[in-house]
Amino acid sequence: MDKLRLRFEKTGRAVYISHLDLMRTMQRAFSRAGLALKYSEGFNPHPLLSILLPLPVGMGSVCELMDFRLREETDLAVLPERLTAVLPEGIRVTEAYEQKRKSVDLKWLAVEGIFAYDTRDAGQMARELEFFFAQEAISVLRKTKRGMGQSNIRPAIREINFRPEEGQVRLYAVLSAQEPTLNPELLAEALRQLEQALAPDFARFTRLETYDAQMQIYR
Amino acid sequence: MDKRLERILPKVQKPARYVGGEYNQIIKDKSAVELRLAFCFPDTYEIGMSNLGMSILYHVMNSLDFVWCERVFAPWGDMYTEMKKAGLPLYALESGDSLSEFDALAFSVGYEMAYTTVLDMLDMAGLPLRSADRPALPPLVFAGGTAAVNPEPMAPFMDLFVIGEGEEMNNELLCLLRQAKREGWSKRDFLRQAAQIQGVYVPSLYEPVYGADGALLSVQRQEGAPERVTKRIVQDFDAAPYPVKPIVPSTEVVHDRVSLELFRGCVRGCRFCQAGYVYRPIRAKKPETLIRQGIEALKNTGCEDVTLLSLSSSDYRHLGELCDGLLDYCESRSIGLSLPSLRADNFSMELMEKLQKVRKSGLTFAVEGGSQRLRDAINKNVTEEDLLHTCRIAFEGGWNSVKLYYMLGLPTETDEDILGIAEMANQVLHCWRQYARNKNRGVKITISTSCFIPKPHSPFQWEAQVSIEEYLRRVNLLRSAITARNVTYNWHDAETSLIEAVLSRGDRRVADVIEEVWRRGGRLDAWSDYFSFGRWTEAFKVCGLDPAFYANREIPADAVLPWDIIDVGVRKEHLLREREKCYVSQLSPDCRKQCAACGAARLLKEGRCDG
Ligand code: SF4
């Protein structure tokens, strides 16, 4: 079976599994579940697995997508259960289906973030954060393909809002997933570079949902 | 997850090794168990998770429903620094709970260079280093592993040692600990009781007495303490517990594969080799047991490789049958089969074909001695002919890289023997020129030497290690004799070997040095990144001890040895006999040809040694 897609969650302790390690973890999980993956041809065959948007180490997600191919016909309805049973803590497969859409159609990612403020007032922080991200341009120094460079991340933020909680601010944002890719970490990094007073003591993010260019849910 | 931990993880390399949560980890309800045991491996996650012994005992101890055994490894430098900064104590991977919540800390110590890391882990757990400074029970702090065959250098730090194989002994000990905890025994009472379990050594029940010259004179023991502690073995190795559901690391480790242990012990009896003596008697598993366990473990892990472990795997009687049985399962699934400990004298084309999955890049052989005379003296039964024959098969089969391992400083070694190593390299090169199928790719011959370390319970336990200067002289001699372009020479540094010799043959006073090194920042000394020779020499000075006394001195054959208290099965008379034969370059037949009645077989209650 070709052109199959898996939707899965990676939360809890599993967020520390790197992209490369996740590929091997997935490969082994298929093997443990008795599902034979198709391999590439050639000198050094490798299983045909690909994750649409590699997740940075430390970031959680409830909307990961992975394409794969199987050597044999399999009931896709029970596949999530079979795989989840043999995956490490924190990785849970939620859906398996035949992929209908190309990966380039994936445009936006909804993310949730926690900005921890150990000593500062969360309410005040939330208000000032709204203000900061409402600016027309937010230019940060970041690693690009051509080395370090200044770039404006504002156009890659479609939506962002902040809600104060006990000792922290919860943010919700819709960020560009590809062309350009905006790593949510840059939201905290922008503050560290441009507005120290707002820089959180700690930040962590979780991907919530994938969308296409028209903000329709992407599967 | 601990908030402090969550905040430091993004700052360290490879955080996955510090969080647990891997597939097949064992999670229990901590309120439902009576004993919580921290199984500590005094090295990194990558090394510890590659250790079969650790995996076996993790499952054995967790098979007791009143025990939850969790893993603890030593953090790498960056994580260590961050943990100290954040005030985060050492914690166990499964629960994330701090070690202060545990009833017992069990250290698996396979090599002496891990000693400073043991101390560091105790300190990171918030515990005093010395047993005498931990009057309460729990926690119980104990250690086992190969290094424990001479427990003395670590004796002051441990409440007790478990000597030999832990499959049965550990659980007997844990049952006793449960009783002690339920009934509120004092630590002293518990240790006296524990000393009655075969294989348990309680150092506080023994007091060494030294003579004016610094040598050990005698050992005074308290009433009720056994005269000698006899190591434990698994009687029925075929029925021994094997983890068919091992933990699958979520990140890369050194050996990420299913490991099958074909047999324990070794039929060869190389005179320098501690492992060859302390794992006797020889007990093998049936091939059908191994095939079944291998397939089950492969199914439960999804691993891409399976490897056949043992001291000299090609001596396994049913190797062909075993390989066939495993390959039946592996081939169709693209699972690789590897056999690391090959010997140059029985490597065959047939075997090589079975192992076609082995990467064709490298073959490694331990030759150890540079001349036939020296190899006979150390009882390494490999001839030049064997080696060249093997190389021929390998070169004809398309291999183009051969690694040869030697030791310098072996008893009776002469300069002639050393020059023989260079000569052998030339012969191998010549063999390649003659037989290589494809010469375009070139050939790479690597010679590696390490410095001989006299090890307790081996026939060479009384021998002197050559000084650092002498080792380097021999290295330079060999270096200048190796001229061929395709031959590379690597030598192991002599400083680590000296320290290893001291720790191997050390007595209880060496504990002060280990502690002093740790106080000066020593940890992870098995890593050249962290090992500091200067730190060790300073510590010896401060403690008033001379490393040469332990490493470079020939010990009189009638001397009391610090490790005499431990009975590993093989008798001292046998070791002495073997040592004498070294001086006349006389080989001993291997156990398959003739049992030399070494003494190990008396550890078997029934059945016979499979030598
Ligand atoms: S008892 Fe005999 S066969 Fe067994 S290990 Fe000793 S010498 Fe070898």
Side-chain angles (χ1 to χ4, degrees):
Chain A
M1 293 171 94
D2 289 338
K3 293 205 164 202
L4 300 178
R5 189 165 282 170
L6 215 58
R7 189 164 187 264
F8 64 96
E9 301 179 355
K10 186 165 173 275
T11 59
R13 304 198 240 187
V15 304
Y16 298 102
I17 301 175
S18 71
H19 173 67
L20 226 66
D21 289 338
L22 179 65
M23 297 291 275
R24 201 187 41 231
T25 298
M26 281 295 183
Q27 184 187 334
R28 288 182 169 179
F30 275 92
S31 154
R32 296 193 284 261
L35 297 161
L37 286 165
K38 265 193 194 164
Y39 275 67
S40 64
E41 308 273 318
F43 189 65
N44 190 7
H46 53 91
L48 294 165
L49 282 182
S50 85
I51 288 174
L52 270 65
L53 298 174
L55 190 62
V57 177
M59 200 173 291
S61 174
V62 295
C63 63
E64 288 307 283
L65 297 172
M66 184 182 88
D67 290 348
F68 65 104
R69 301 174 192 207
L70 290 178
R71 271 191 261 173
E72 287 151 27
E73 287 295 313
T74 308
D75 180 3
L76 293 178
V78 297
L79 199 129
E81 211 178 307
R82 279 175 74 183
L83 278 173
T84 301
V86 292
L87 277 162
E89 187 185 307
I91 305 182
R92 208 168 69 87
V93 176
T94 48
E95 252 181 282
Y97 50 92
E98 273 180 66
Q99 97 199 38
K100 300 249 156 49
R101 305 193 63 177
K102 290 199 193 82
S103 57
V104 288
D105 293 349
L106 201 175
K107 175 62 187 153
W108 299 102
L109 262 176
V111 302
E112 180 185 76
I114 299 288
F115 281 0
Y117 294 103
D118 297 343
T119 50
R120 287 164 282 179
D121 177 60
Q124 187 196 343
M125 288 296 121
R127 282 190 301 278
E128 291 184 25
L129 284 166
E130 295 274 4
F131 200 72
F132 177 87
F133 283 99
Q135 296 176 86
E136 283 197 357
I138 300 171
S139 181
V140 296
L141 190 65
R142 64 188 283 197
K143 243 193 259 157
T144 66
K145 279 175 194 136
R146 292 166 298 275
M148 293 302 276
Q150 207 71 32
S151 76
N152 178 12
I153 61 169
R154 188 64 191 83
I157 307 173
R158 184 187 172 105
E159 193 185 328
I160 191 162
N161 58 65
F162 299 88
R163 208 172 67 229
E165 290 177 0
E166 184 69 38
Q168 61 186 34
V169 170
R170 189 178 295 266
L171 73 85
Y172 173 87
V174 177
L175 308 173
S176 176
Q178 329 189 61
E179 307 287 322
T181 301
L182 182 65
N183 183 340
E185 263 301 326
L186 278 171
L187 299 177
E189 181 56 27
L191 296 167
R192 278 180 226 123
Q193 288 183 17
L194 303 168
E195 199 58 71
Q196 263 298 331
L198 297 182
D201 295 304
F202 182 69
R204 89 180 121 81
F205 300 90
T206 308
R207 287 179 179 170
L208 298 179
E209 188 55 280
T210 45
Y211 297 96
D212 65 12
Q214 282 71 47
M215 279 304 283
Q216 299 298 310
I217 287 180
Y218 173 91
R219 284 288 184 273
Chain B
M1 183 177 285
D2 186 288
K3 213 167 145 186
R4 290 167 295 179
L5 177 60
E6 186 182 25
R7 290 193 182 186
I8 61 182
L9 285 172
K11 301 183 195 167
V12 301
Q13 280 176 18
K14 304 189 212 155
R17 56 189 164 164
Y18 302 121
V19 296
E22 309 94 320
Y23 182 66
N24 281 342
Q25 68 169 353
I26 294 174
I27 297 287
K28 295 189 182 183
D29 174 1
K30 63 179 167 187
S31 62
V33 295
E34 283 182 81
L35 289 181
R36 295 191 65 188
L37 181 131
F39 195 8
C40 304
F41 192 89
D43 209 320
T44 61
Y45 178 88
E46 290 88 329
I47 305 280
M49 286 300 291
S50 307
N51 187 284
L52 178 61
M54 175 126 188
S55 171
I56 291 174
L57 293 176
Y58 175 79
H59 287 86
V60 165
M61 293 195 276
N62 271 315
S63 71
L64 297 173
D65 54 13
F66 64 88
V67 173
W68 184 11
C69 164
E70 304 180 46
R71 295 159 299 149
V72 186
F73 301 96
W76 193 246
D78 57 346
M79 182 63 174
Y80 171 81
T81 309
E82 292 296 339
M83 285 174 75
K84 290 267 157 167
K85 254 200 274 174
L88 185 68
L90 197 59
Y91 57 90
L93 288 186
E94 280 76 0
S95 63
D97 290 341
S98 148
L99 259 51
S100 58
E101 294 179 34
F102 284 68
D103 300 294
L105 271 66
F107 285 90
S108 166
V109 191
Y111 30 91
E112 294 81 6
M113 296 311 285
Y115 287 164
T116 50
T117 314
V118 172
L119 299 197
D120 193 55
M121 290 174 82
L122 280 172
D123 179 66
M124 288 188 86
L127 288 172
L129 301 186
R130 300 208 172 218
S131 174
D133 299 330
R134 299 185 305 258
L137 182 83
L140 175 72
V141 176
F142 66 104
T146 312
V149 295
N150 176 16
E152 288 307 282
M154 290 296 278
F157 309 117
M158 293 294 141
D159 299 332
L160 60 85
F161 290 87
V162 283
I163 312 293
E165 298 167 7
E167 281 96 337
E168 294 159 8
M169 167 173 46
N170 287 15
N171 287 4
E172 287 169 27
L173 183 69
L174 294 176
C175 286
L176 189 69
L177 183 61
R178 169 170 70 164
Q179 192 186 351
K181 194 183 167 190
R182 278 184 180 170
E183 297 171 7
W185 297 3
S186 72
K187 182 165 167 181
R188 214 184 134 71
D189 288 343
F190 170 78
L191 290 178
R192 285 180 166 280
Q193 279 298 319
Q196 305 310 313
I197 298 175
Q198 191 206 322
V200 170
Y201 170 57
V202 178
S204 53
L205 301 180
Y206 303 81
E207 187 70 50
V209 181
Y210 303 97
D213 61 347
L216 184 62
L217 278 187
S218 64
V219 176
Q220 275 172 359
R221 92 192 126 95
Q222 288 183 22
E223 216 190 294
E227 199 180 327
R228 293 187 80 195
V229 174
T230 305
K231 85 164 183 212
R232 280 293 281 273
I233 58 162
V234 171
Q235 294 289 335
D236 184 356
F237 182 53
D238 191 59
Y242 172 81
V244 290
K245 288 192 77 184
I247 298 174
V248 184
S250 302
T251 181
E252 233 167 308
V253 299
V254 180
H255 297 306
D256 195 356
R257 59 198 186 186
V258 166
S259 302
L260 293 172
E261 198 184 3
L262 312 189
F263 56 91
R264 286 201 181 152
C266 181
V267 302
R268 298 286 174 161
C270 298
R271 291 176 183 135
F272 56 85
C273 178
Q274 182 185 51
Y277 288 89
V278 302
Y279 295 137
R280 291 178 176 200
I282 297 145
R283 292 143 297 152
K285 279 193 191 174
K286 296 192 187 101
E288 52 278 20
T289 308
L290 290 164
I291 295 168
R292 177 171 44 79
Q293 292 175 340
I295 291 174
E296 239 179 288
L298 285 167
K299 279 189 183 154
N300 288 330
T301 57
C303 277
E304 307 78 18
D305 290 289
V306 52
T307 189
L308 308 183
L309 285 185
S310 279
L311 288 173
S312 168
S313 300
S314 43
D315 284 330
Y316 182 59
R317 290 181 199 269
H318 318 283
L319 191 60
E321 190 185 333
L322 173 63
C323 287
D324 289 342
L326 287 171
L327 284 171
D328 261 354
Y329 180 84
C330 295
E331 253 167 346
S332 59
R333 294 170 177 82
S334 315
I335 295 170
L337 173 65
S338 65
L339 214 166
S341 51
L342 288 172
R343 282 184 63 98
D345 56 346
N346 56 5
F347 179 92
S348 69
M349 193 66 197
E350 190 197 342
L351 187 61
M352 205 175 74
E353 273 164 5
K354 288 203 171 110
L355 301 175
Q356 51 191 322
K357 286 268 171 188
V358 180
R359 275 182 296 125
K360 285 231 165 146
S361 56
L363 272 183
T364 303
F365 294 105
V367 191
E368 312 296 2
S371 72
Q372 196 56 52
R373 185 207 61 78
L374 182 57
R375 286 193 296 276
D376 289 353
I378 63 174
N379 205 33
K380 181 87 198 181
N381 199 357
V382 173
T383 65
E384 192 175 304
E385 213 184 318
D386 290 335
L387 183 78
L388 291 175
H389 175 71
T390 299
C391 288
R392 177 179 166 174
I393 295 175
F395 292 143
E396 283 175 347
W399 265 268
N400 62 345
S401 156
V402 177
K403 280 198 186 118
L404 305 176
Y405 283 115
Y406 292 88
M407 265 185 222
L408 292 183
L410 282 162
T412 77
E413 184 183 62
T414 62
D415 284 1
E416 212 177 308
D417 299 325
I418 295 165
L419 296 173
I421 299 174
E423 182 47 35
M424 179 86 91
N426 287 338
Q427 301 255 18
V428 172
L429 188 59
H430 182 71
C431 171
W432 175 79
R433 290 214 179 95
Q434 238 179 322
Y435 299 108
R437 218 172 42 186
N438 180 358
K439 292 201 192 57
N440 295 338
R441 283 194 300 155
V443 65
K444 198 172 170 221
I445 297 162
T446 309
I447 304 286
S448 290
T449 64
S450 62
C451 183
F452 161 72
I453 298 166
K455 287 282 192 175
H457 304 289
S458 75
F460 289 165
Q461 63 179 356
W462 298 276
E463 296 290 337
Q465 183 180 52
V466 294
S467 67
I468 290 184
E469 298 73 35
E470 176 58 19
Y471 173 71
L472 291 177
R473 187 193 68 80
R474 297 185 193 194
V475 164
N476 284 323
L477 178 69
L478 178 54
R479 232 170 96 182
S480 53
I482 293 175
T483 45
R485 216 167 20 89
N486 322 19
V487 182
T488 316
Y489 175 39
N490 300 321
W491 60 96
H492 192 267
D493 88 283
E495 294 171 342
T496 316
S497 304
L498 171 71
I499 301 306
E500 205 183 319
V502 174
L503 297 178
S504 297
R505 297 207 298 187
D507 52 37
R508 223 174 255 203
R509 292 170 303 184
V510 170
D512 294 349
V513 178
I514 300 170
E515 181 171 342
E516 183 62 27
V517 169
W518 171 77
R519 293 208 179 278
R520 289 163 180 260
R523 62 187 297 274
L524 294 177
D525 272 301
W527 295 82
S528 57
D529 313 47
Y530 293 107
F531 176 77
S532 154
F533 188 56
R535 195 149 52 201
W536 282 92
T537 47
E538 277 161 38
F540 277 109
K541 242 181 253 153
V542 170
C543 299
L545 291 175
D546 179 10
F549 174 81
Y550 295 99
N552 311 121
R553 178 179 64 117
E554 181 181 328
I555 304 175
D558 59 356
V560 180
L561 303 169
W563 55 92
D564 276 346
I565 181 82
I566 304 299
D567 177 5
V568 297
V570 179
R571 288 192 198 89
K572 210 178 202 176
E573 298 77 58
H574 177 76
L575 299 180
L576 275 168
R577 243 188 344 258
E578 284 297 311
R579 186 187 183 209
E580 288 309 319
K581 284 167 117 180
C582 161
Y583 294 130
V584 289
S585 302
Q586 197 186 334
L587 283 170
S588 291
D590 71 45
C591 297
R592 286 278 151 80
K593 290 206 190 80
Q594 191 194 329
C595 168
C598 70
R602 72 195 148 89
L603 299 182
L604 287 168
K605 294 201 180 80
E606 47 190 273
R608 46 183 291 273
C609 182
D610 186 33

